[in-house]
Amino acid sequence: MLLQRLFLAAWLLPALAMMYIGSAYQAPFAYEPVGPRAFPLLMLGLLAAGLIYLLIHPTPVAEDPDEPPPGVQGYRKVGLGIALLLAFALAFEPLGFIPASALAGLCFAHLYGGRWLPSLGLAVALAVGLYLLFDRLLDVPLPLGLLAGLEI
């Protein structure tokens, strides 16, 4: 538990520092009603709240003797997940939010054992739903990329 709390504290300090730095950020332009700092501050606030909760109530780590250690397969999945996130970041602008998110969601679902057809349906539904949430309800403009002609 001590190592878990040290790890959580090590993540909490940068999160609080980034919140402090981000709270003073003022953009010379405003393309969103709430400004460009609201979303990062919200995400960092949620991260900090979760870390504080886990510091107070750490999750007991119980080792299952029947479960093998992660080994090569587990590390391979983590490495592929990081590569997928990097590919998503690189494809975000040229492909647009919906295609890049759907493709990343499909790849992640398949990486963790999802079947192709249900994964595709869920990935597309989530990508379109998140686009509508951010673009229409929160007025956060997201790139359409390949779908720019559709103007959803």
Side-chain angles (χ1 to χ4, degrees):
M1 291 254 198
L2 177 64
L3 286 177
Q4 185 180 11
R5 283 192 166 128
L6 288 174
F7 181 75
L8 293 167
W11 275 103
L12 181 61
L13 292 176
L16 292 175
M18 286 188 284
M19 283 180 65
Y20 176 73
I21 292 168
S23 65
Y25 178 73
Q26 293 293 329
F29 56 89
Y31 56 89
E32 300 170 10
V34 292
R37 69 179 178 182
F39 183 72
L41 286 178
L42 176 66
M43 291 297 104
L44 289 167
L46 290 172
L47 175 66
L51 290 169
I52 290 169
Y53 175 80
L54 288 174
L55 272 169
I56 296 169
H57 305 288
T59 305
V61 179
E63 292 195 24
D64 187 3
D66 296 332
E67 185 175 322
V72 175
Q73 283 296 94
Y75 295 126
R76 184 180 148 269
K77 280 186 179 180
V78 170
L80 285 173
I82 291 170
L84 277 171
L85 288 175
L86 180 62
F88 172 71
L90 293 172
F92 185 75
E93 284 287 330
L95 293 181
F97 178 80
I98 295 173
S101 297
L103 189 59
L106 176 65
C107 291
F108 267 111
H110 184 66
L111 180 64
Y112 286 94
R115 294 188 324 250
W116 284 107
L117 195 57
S119 298
L120 177 64
L122 184 61
V124 169
L126 278 173
V128 171
L130 286 172
Y131 177 81
L132 293 174
L133 172 73
F134 279 97
D135 194 63
R136 300 292 186 245
L137 293 176
L138 300 176
D139 283 332
V140 176
L142 294 172
L144 279 173
L146 298 175
L147 303 176
L150 297 178
E151 281 302 317
I152 296 172

